[in-house]
Amino acid sequence: MAHVVTPLDQPSNYKDSQSRVDRQRQNELLSKSTTLYIGNLSFYTTEEQIYELFSKCANPEDGGGIKRIIMGLDRNTRTPCGFCFVEYYTHAEALASMKYVSGTKLDERIIRCDLDSGYKEGRQFGRGKSGGQVRDEHRQDYDPGRGGWGAQAQRLEAERRREVEERYADVQDGPGAVAGGGGDWREVEGSGHDGRKRGRSPDDEGDNTRTLNQGHRTRLDEDMEAERM
Amino acid sequence: MSYNERRGGYRRRHRDDYDDRRREAFETPEDKLKTSIIKLGEVDPMEELPRLQKQIQEFAPVNVALLSEVTEQPYKIPYYAALVQLLHEPPTDAEEAGARPSLGRLVLEDFWKGFQTYLDKLEWRETRLCIQFFAHLTVAEIVSPDSMVSLLQAFTAVLDGFNVSHKRAKRAVLCAAEGLMISGAHLKLYSSRSVSEIINAVQIFSETTTIPKWLVRPTSSLHTDAVTIENGDEMIDTILQTLQTLNDTGFAQVAESFPQPYLAFAKPDDLTPFNLPLVLVPPETDIELDGVANNTEEAAQIKKDEWPEYYLRLFDDEVSPNPNTPAGYAVRSALLDIISVFDVNRKECARLLLEYPKWNLPGAFKPKPGAPADVEPALDKYWQLESTILELILGMLLILPESPQRSIYYISLITELCKLSPSTVGPAVGKSIRKLYAALSEGLDVEAARRFSEWFSIHMSNFGFQWVWKEWVPDLALAMQHPKRAFMRRAVEFEIRLSYYDRILKTLPEPMQSPETLTIAEKAPGPYFEYEDAANPYHEAAQGVLNLFRGRAKAEDVIGQLQSLRTTLEASEERPVNVDATANSIVIQSLLHIGSRSFSHLLNAIERYLPLLRQVADSSNLLSAAEAKAGVLTSVGVFWQHNPHMVGIVFDKLMQYQIVDPNDVVGWTFTHGVGLGLGSSASLNTFEWGLVRGALDKANGRVLIARRKITALRKEEDDTRARAKARANESMEVDADAKPEDDAAVDNPALTTTLKALDSLTSEQKSGLSRTLEGFVACITQNPYARTVITEQAWHNRANWDDVEWTAWETWGWYRQFCRAYSPYLREFSQALYTVSFSKLETSTDPTDELLKKIWSAATDST
């Protein structure tokens, strides 16, 4: 097919600048990837809206479905900053989103999808100087969906904004802060099995130390931001 | 990389990110020629053909590969046929012309090899497109008519095969019929009898097919098995009618149906026609035999696509072509091919669809506004291109039990068409929506109606939610469960899911905004925490649990709290009927409350408290495990009662984390779920069907994953064994006593575990299907209206139906969808499932019971 038209389910040239893997390994990961990076979201778009649209590409009968959604957050304010990751259970579902959803509208903005090599700790935060995405750091235009809004919409948007700001107030970072989404089906074993599952509690001091380090590193590297848009 | 592009130091570090895509592409003469061939006809094919012929002959390549041009640009097939014809002419300056075969002949021989490969792999679409190409070449007298007849007969021979699947027969018919349509006139000259035989074979197939067409009609009336519908056509019927029309008139209409550019050029002199070699359509081995070979897995693949294809007609023959006519069939078939070939790039597909008239005969479609109308209408009127395209895409979208490709493809394709040409496609979309909306009260199938609302909402989401709802305001007078009102409700709900409540509320006219009309909810679909209210007797208890969650208490601590809660409730004045059930409900609802902020919060809450959830979903003193699980689902249903979307999402994850089984969800939906949607008891509405479907798909998906794993493990094992054997053979020379079989006897623990898992997953799958069937049978036999809505008289009186009749009718619809969509799975267990659900109805002659049984056997009889 490729010689008549370009298929839409190809990964772009993007590479996570903070990723330590080389190009070849990256391509290998992408050829099996079940994760999508979604860009140009409105700050107000919720995970449920994203779920609704992306579930159109889910194929549970084939063992698929939406595994998890990781909302991209402003590093400082912990509010959505206009991107997210959608992870499916199968590669075919990710490709279907590339073909059929990327370039269509969600919440009245044209969103873009890109195959992603997989979510890594810390990638849910914006890498711009002020905490959001770099593209919003230097953006000149007026974009009501991404931080500035017109007077006529203000009343309505302010209400949504309040909800949004509260929503993620409790988000933590560090390992285990983002749920896995549940694994494949397996035989339920005896109760002794539960001990292996690591519960989280405020006693997990280790996490907090790690978090600080992680945050520090992110700030140092913020100029390395890989801008997608 | 072009170095002058570099700006500043920043980019330099990222050189790796920019591949060599900016490098100037150097085109070899071969590349140039290839490009010319691919791009043939982009401006004016008739002018370009002789030029391309000259270009090729001047370059004098050894060969020219046309195979992928034919299969990937099917709309150009007649022009590539013309090119092959032209290449049969000896080059003007060739001296040794006649000494060796012409280039055209070489091209054709090479093409044939490619065709044979497609056929061997049973790539039906490619095979069929190649046959179209040969058919055109037959008309051009490049291919001999006798060999063409034999080729087509090879495909009708498939129909005589033993136990041939409908899918295979359908595809074979398409190959033979389309080849015949194009080349019929020439074949008839050669052997009129053979032509009639081919048509007869199609007719016999159409008449004797055991597949019950009535089960997949897009408009369903329960009282009749009629297979012809007013506003649509079944594909094989369409083909047959077209062929008969053509045959009756000596294929005279071919010239006004299919482009025949080759006829404009002079035929090469004294040419011996090419004889297509004899072929045999290979049997379908891979799929059917797979399951037999590994008898533990039954059929490894689920056989789908076993149904006749009905395409809904939305417009009159004046507006869009009637597919039962030769010209109409040609257009439909060409557009269908473009849609299915170009799914990899919907934007290009949209462009090609809108450019289609240039590949068809001039004068078929109404010229674009502003374009010079210098062509007279070919068939005394013009068709409207956009309406034709829309009708066809929607026709595919609404094929039952499922569309050939995912519905989102068709939806996005329509979006692209609108973006490309808003002023012409927009009105066609509007007209289509109105036609489909009107079909809702004429019995549009419930599944088709669901997909219609899905398309509507996603389309509106892409175009500013601009719909003129006002024109449907009068329909608010209809019964609340009337399909039109159900559609409005569902469309609004789906729009809200993609957007948000206030945004959608704004788009509705005043009468619809009013909560009394039940079109949109009174407020945004938020959570409902039963124990939030301080007046609730368990408010305090719930606050205690909630505080533990808020403080991120360990799961064990909450389990402890759950135990003490049960004790406290037992002793309290407000002692509930079932202490355990109430305590569980408090815990689950509090957990959902914590998880209500977002999907991720939900996942985090579930994952953090898995031991607690398992405890709650397990049996206790007062509850069986099944009751406890149903209780969990009920808590979810109560908590998200204003937001059905969330109910589905939470159920899905509870199944994923194995807190509940798909089976529990099915059972719950048929018993407890009633009343949460807007349906009444002993019925199933679209939302509830969605829950059932989610559970069935989950169970089926798990079986599929397990089967795949087994196949992979077996393959791995075979490889290991083969390697071991090879090694043993090597060492045999030293030690003749080594027994390689020993390796085979070693157990593969991973395989054993997976086989065991498959066993339990398969029985889970079976019980899910069984509970669904039992649920439907119970609903329908217990609902007094289920028996009244199935008569012809009742159907004609539907204007007077009330909610109870419409919900009963809808329940029948989902029962039909269940049987036909899951028929491949149902067939695996049909005997056992029948016994459970139908044994007591076995001898009943009650019309309701008869219809239940009839639909069941129509879907599961695999003969």
Side-chain angles (χ1 to χ4, degrees):
Chain A
M1 207 55 238
H3 79 281
V4 182
V5 298
T6 322
L8 294 177
D9 55 4
Q10 301 297 306
S12 76
N13 256 343
Y14 169 81
K15 183 172 177 293
D16 176 10
S17 61
Q18 293 187 5
S19 167
R20 300 282 179 260
V21 303
D22 61 35
R23 177 62 71 175
Q24 192 191 345
R25 174 88 187 108
Q26 158 100 356
N27 289 342
E28 232 172 86
L29 289 172
L30 291 181
S31 70
K32 286 182 288 205
S33 169
T34 59
T35 305
L36 294 166
Y37 164 93
I38 317 297
N40 199 33
L41 292 173
S42 152
F43 289 180
Y44 306 107
T45 300
T46 65
E47 292 181 26
E48 289 68 30
Q49 284 171 279
I50 296 164
Y51 189 104
E52 172 70 2
L53 183 61
F54 284 88
S55 65
K56 305 298 172 194
C57 291
N59 191 355
E61 202 181 359
D62 187 45
I66 293 182
K67 193 174 185 205
R68 57 179 176 171
I69 295 170
I70 297 153
M71 188 61 101
L73 300 177
D74 182 297
R75 211 170 53 247
N76 304 321
T77 61
R78 301 286 149 109
T79 55
C81 67
F83 75 97
C84 78
F85 297 95
V86 170
E87 190 174 338
Y88 287 105
Y89 285 99
T90 68
H91 179 55
E93 293 168 304
L95 291 185
S97 298
M98 294 289 289
K99 284 195 284 186
Y100 310 136
V101 174
S102 186
T104 69
K105 280 187 180 177
L106 178 61
D107 225 352
E108 308 187 54
R109 299 178 68 90
I110 291 179
I111 57 166
R112 59 164 276 181
C113 308
D114 204 350
L115 283 174
D116 193 274
S117 52
Y119 172 75
K120 290 275 173 350
E121 181 68 45
R123 285 188 68 197
Q124 79 264 48
F125 295 113
R127 291 168 178 177
K129 275 201 169 61
S130 10
Q133 282 197 288
V134 176
R135 58 168 291 202
D136 291 311
E137 203 67 50
H138 310 291
R139 184 159 51 77
Q140 299 284 315
D141 61 332
Y142 180 77
D143 192 341
R146 293 178 74 101
W149 54 87
Q152 72 277 51
Q154 196 156 357
R155 237 191 21 236
L156 198 60
E157 299 289 22
E159 177 58 23
R160 290 181 81 202
R161 184 187 191 185
R162 194 183 53 76
E163 283 175 34
V164 161
E165 283 176 351
E166 279 173 13
R167 185 167 301 128
Y168 290 98
D170 61 339
V171 162
Q172 302 206 323
D173 47 8
V178 171
D184 287 338
W185 186 94
R186 59 192 163 75
E187 200 73 50
V188 179
E189 286 163 38
S191 52
H193 171 76
D194 292 342
R196 271 203 295 148
K197 190 79 205 172
R198 195 177 152 282
R200 281 187 49 81
S201 75
D203 304 336
D204 285 337
E205 289 300 335
D207 281 0
N208 296 334
T209 348
R210 282 270 293 287
T211 305
L212 282 174
N213 290 339
Q214 180 74 31
H216 190 56
R217 198 180 66 80
T218 310
R219 263 188 296 282
L220 281 178
D221 284 359
E222 70 189 12
D223 274 338
M224 297 284 287
E225 160 73 27
E227 191 42 67
R228 288 202 178 241
M229 297 307 299
Chain B
M1 177 180 286
S2 81
Y3 283 83
N4 54 2
E5 288 274 335
R6 250 208 247 157
R7 266 181 244 105
Y10 172 74
R11 289 282 174 223
R12 212 163 298 158
R13 278 180 281 155
H14 299 282
R15 206 173 298 170
D16 185 40
D17 288 353
Y18 292 84
D19 285 339
D20 46 4
R21 59 180 169 174
R22 289 207 194 91
R23 194 176 294 155
E24 280 290 309
F26 172 70
E27 267 199 320
T28 61
E30 284 90 350
D31 290 340
K32 270 193 190 136
L33 188 61
K34 212 169 165 230
T35 313
S36 308
I37 295 170
I38 292 172
K39 295 203 181 298
L40 168 67
E42 308 272 286
V43 182
D44 179 353
M46 295 312 280
E47 235 172 71
E48 290 169 45
L49 273 167
R51 224 181 323 164
L52 184 59
Q53 173 199 12
K54 199 156 164 267
Q55 192 188 351
I56 293 174
Q57 284 175 338
E58 271 168 12
F59 184 72
V62 188
N63 210 330
V64 178
L66 282 183
L67 190 67
S68 51
E69 268 50 73
V70 163
T71 57
E72 296 180 13
Q73 303 189 75
Y75 42 91
K76 292 189 191 174
I77 288 175
Y79 301 94
Y80 286 118
L83 180 64
V84 169
Q85 183 200 24
L86 290 175
L87 292 179
H88 273 77
E89 282 173 14
T92 41
D93 56 344
E95 280 153 32
E96 77 268 63
R100 58 190 175 91
S102 69
L103 184 58
R105 178 57 55 94
L106 288 174
V107 170
L108 201 47
E109 278 165 4
D110 184 58
F111 190 94
W112 175 266
K113 284 180 208 146
F115 166 72
Q116 185 74 56
T117 313
Y118 283 135
L119 182 60
D120 289 343
K121 289 195 254 166
L122 285 179
E123 307 222 11
W124 287 104
R125 185 180 69 206
E126 285 77 3
T127 302
R128 180 171 51 81
L129 295 172
C130 291
I131 291 175
Q132 288 187 9
F133 182 65
F134 296 135
H136 281 290
L137 286 172
T138 310
V139 182
E141 295 178 29
I142 300 289
V143 163
S144 75
D146 52 327
S147 69
M148 187 66 196
V149 165
S150 310
L151 177 66
L152 300 182
Q153 280 168 339
F155 286 86
T156 49
V158 167
L159 304 175
D160 304 328
F162 171 70
N163 215 357
V164 53
S165 72
H166 184 79
K167 177 182 180 175
R168 179 173 160 88
K170 188 166 81 183
R171 311 247 155 121
V173 161
L174 269 170
C175 288
E178 293 190 354
L180 181 57
M181 281 180 205
I182 296 166
S183 61
H186 282 68
L187 301 192
K188 221 173 163 178
L189 283 178
Y190 161 71
S191 163
S192 175
R193 198 171 53 91
S194 308
V195 169
S196 308
E197 275 170 11
I198 293 173
I199 297 176
N200 264 347
V202 177
Q203 180 160 16
I204 290 168
F205 166 68
S206 162
E207 283 166 3
T208 58
T209 178
T210 49
I211 302 287
K213 292 183 186 174
W214 54 268
L215 197 53
V216 288
R217 273 177 324 200
T219 50
S220 60
S221 20
L222 296 160
H223 59 272
T224 165
D225 297 355
V227 290
T228 50
I229 53 170
E230 271 175 37
N231 49 351
D233 315 88
E234 199 281 316
M235 192 166 66
I236 298 293
D237 295 344
T238 302
I239 286 176
L240 186 60
Q241 204 168 332
T242 306
L243 278 178
Q244 283 166 343
T245 312
L246 282 171
N247 195 31
D248 292 348
T249 56
F251 290 86
Q253 294 170 55
V254 171
E256 57 202 48
S257 309
F258 297 90
Q260 298 174 312
Y262 34 80
L263 296 182
F265 301 103
K267 272 173 214 132
D269 300 327
D270 22 277
L271 177 92
T272 332
F274 179 71
N275 279 314
L276 303 168
L278 284 174
V279 292
L280 191 70
V281 181
E284 267 170 341
T285 46
D286 46 347
I287 300 168
E288 262 112 323
L289 293 181
D290 202 23
V292 185
N294 319 314
N295 46 12
T296 39
E297 294 159 50
E298 334 278 313
Q301 281 293 319
I302 289 301
K303 282 195 278 167
K304 288 213 159 182
D305 192 11
E306 295 282 335
W307 298 98
E309 281 171 40
Y310 275 97
Y311 288 83
L312 210 58
R313 282 295 299 282
L314 300 176
F315 304 111
D316 296 339
D317 295 354
E318 311 283 310
V319 176
S320 67
N322 176 353
N324 296 303
T325 62
Y329 183 87
V331 168
R332 172 180 288 193
S333 152
L335 292 175
L336 278 178
D337 284 332
I338 295 178
I339 294 169
S340 72
V341 168
F342 288 92
D343 82 305
V344 289
N345 190 325
R346 57 177 206 272
K347 298 176 189 194
E348 291 293 315
C349 184
R351 182 181 61 78
L352 289 164
L353 287 172
L354 290 177
E355 283 175 7
Y356 171 70
K358 87 172 188 198
W359 303 108
N360 194 31
L361 295 161
F365 291 96
K366 196 173 170 183
K368 276 184 200 154
D374 50 359
V375 195
E376 285 297 303
L379 302 160
D380 53 76
K381 77 246 168 188
Y382 292 124
W383 291 314
Q384 289 174 18
L385 176 66
E386 290 80 5
S387 300
T388 305
I389 295 173
L390 252 287
E391 179 181 78
L392 198 57
I393 297 178
L394 291 171
M396 291 176 99
L397 172 71
L398 301 181
I399 283 177
L400 299 172
E402 54 185 37
S403 50
Q405 273 145 309
R406 291 164 191 275
S407 24
I408 186 72
Y409 170 49
Y410 304 110
I411 296 172
S412 297
L413 182 56
I414 295 175
T415 304
E416 294 307 327
L417 285 164
C418 284
K419 283 182 4 197
L420 265 183
S421 179
S423 59
T424 60
V425 182
V429 168
K431 279 194 294 177
S432 305
I433 290 174
R434 290 183 183 98
K435 291 279 184 182
L436 283 174
Y437 180 78
L440 287 167
S441 48
E442 304 305 317
L444 185 69
D445 184 271
V446 288
E447 169 65 13
R450 188 193 65 77
R451 280 182 228 160
F452 171 32
S453 44
E454 196 179 20
W455 168 53
F456 180 90
S457 57
I458 297 177
H459 187 84
M460 292 306 154
S461 169
N462 275 282
F463 295 96
F465 298 102
Q466 289 168 24
W467 180 249
V468 203
W469 287 95
K470 219 166 82 184
E471 63 191 70
W472 292 341
V473 166
D475 291 334
L476 293 175
L478 296 168
M480 209 229 336
Q481 299 298 345
H482 186 282
K484 283 185 172 173
R485 288 194 65 195
F487 170 82
M488 287 192 253
R489 254 192 328 268
R490 203 164 51 238
V492 165
E493 189 199 318
F494 288 176
E495 283 190 349
I496 293 174
R497 289 186 190 184
L498 290 164
S499 181
Y500 54 100
Y501 178 83
D502 294 303
R503 174 75 181 88
I504 302 306
L505 185 71
K506 268 195 333 207
T507 65
L508 298 178
E510 213 169 307
M512 286 185 181
Q513 290 184 340
S514 146
E516 283 96 77
T517 63
L518 292 166
T519 309
I520 188 164
E522 198 166 354
K523 52 184 171 44
Y528 169 73
F529 185 45
E530 204 180 343
Y531 308 104
E532 180 114 80
D533 184 358
N536 187 296
Y538 312 114
H539 173 76
E540 290 299 317
Q543 287 304 313
V545 177
L546 208 51
N547 284 334
L548 282 177
F549 285 140
R550 282 190 178 131
R552 292 171 189 262
K554 287 181 185 167
E556 304 88 89
D557 296 344
V558 189
I559 292 174
Q561 175 81 0
L562 173 69
Q563 302 303 352
S564 64
L565 189 57
R566 285 174 178 170
T567 324
T568 339
L569 288 178
E570 184 69 51
S572 78
E573 282 172 34
E574 306 280 354
R575 190 180 172 280
V577 184
N578 189 320
V579 170
D580 291 2
T582 305
N584 286 355
S585 164
I586 291 171
V587 169
I588 296 294
Q589 285 201 40
S590 303
L591 188 71
L592 290 171
H593 189 66
I594 294 296
S596 68
R597 289 174 168 212
S598 77
F599 176 61
S600 295
H601 282 85
L602 171 76
L603 291 188
N604 276 315
I606 295 178
E607 214 158 274
R608 194 178 301 136
Y609 292 105
L610 278 175
L612 171 69
L613 282 164
R614 290 196 189 109
Q615 178 95 19
V616 171
D618 206 351
S619 60
S620 64
N621 291 339
L622 302 169
L623 295 170
S624 70
E627 285 168 335
K629 288 183 167 65
V632 171
L633 298 173
T634 301
S635 298
V636 178
V638 169
F639 187 83
W640 285 114
Q641 57 185 279
H642 302 306
N643 192 334
H645 188 209
M646 283 307 297
V647 176
I649 294 176
V650 180
F651 280 14
D652 179 70
K653 281 301 172 187
L654 288 177
M655 288 190 280
Q656 195 71 42
Y657 284 101
Q658 289 174 252
I659 304 303
V660 298
D661 291 327
N663 200 353
D664 299 310
V665 172
V666 172
W668 181 87
T669 308
F670 276 104
T671 50
H672 304 66
V674 164
L676 281 171
L678 291 155
S680 55
S681 61
S683 66
L684 204 77
N685 62 23
T686 306
F687 159 63
E688 289 157 345
W689 166 249
L691 297 180
V692 172
R693 189 177 57 148
L696 294 176
D697 288 346
K698 183 75 80 185
N700 294 336
R702 284 173 177 175
V703 170
L704 197 70
I705 291 173
R707 281 181 177 165
R708 277 191 197 135
K709 210 182 268 174
I710 289 169
T711 312
L713 286 168
R714 284 231 168 97
K715 193 177 171 291
E716 203 175 284
E717 206 179 44
D718 287 349
D719 291 351
T720 322
R721 209 174 292 157
R723 269 199 301 275
K725 214 171 171 184
R727 238 180 288 122
N729 284 342
E730 270 170 34
S731 60
M732 203 90 83
E733 288 155 23
V734 189
D735 177 11
D737 292 333
K739 285 183 196 150
E741 299 95 282
D742 284 355
D743 292 304
V746 176
D747 258 358
N748 180 342
L751 186 59
T752 317
T753 320
T754 319
L755 282 170
K756 217 182 112 217
L758 177 63
D759 261 357
S760 62
L761 287 171
T762 309
S763 72
E764 170 73 27
Q765 176 190 40
K766 182 179 162 188
S767 75
L769 294 166
S770 180
R771 287 190 83 159
T772 310
L773 183 61
E774 285 170 61
F776 273 116
V777 171
C779 267
I780 287 172
T781 51
Q782 285 161 24
N783 185 334
Y785 297 97
R787 57 195 59 237
T788 59
V789 296
I790 58 176
T791 66
E792 184 170 5
Q793 204 191 352
W795 179 245
H796 292 310
N797 186 37
R798 64 187 180 282
N800 298 316
W801 279 7
D802 213 336
D803 290 346
V804 283
E805 279 99 356
W806 281 117
T807 45
W809 182 82
E810 188 180 6
T811 308
W812 275 111
W814 292 123
Y815 173 62
R816 286 160 62 105
Q817 174 66 7
F818 166 64
C819 290
R820 65 197 175 200
Y822 292 94
S823 73
Y825 304 98
L826 295 173
R827 271 187 214 135
E828 281 186 56
F829 314 106
S830 64
Q831 206 49 52
L833 298 183
Y834 183 89
T835 313
V836 173
S837 288
F838 290 109
S839 50
K840 56 180 181 293
L841 308 178
E842 181 98 58
T843 54
S844 166
T845 53
D846 178 276
T848 315
D849 301 348
E850 297 262 85
L851 187 56
L852 273 169
K853 286 185 285 185
K854 194 176 101 179
I855 293 170
W856 168 261
S857 36
T860 55
D861 283 353
S862 47
T863 46

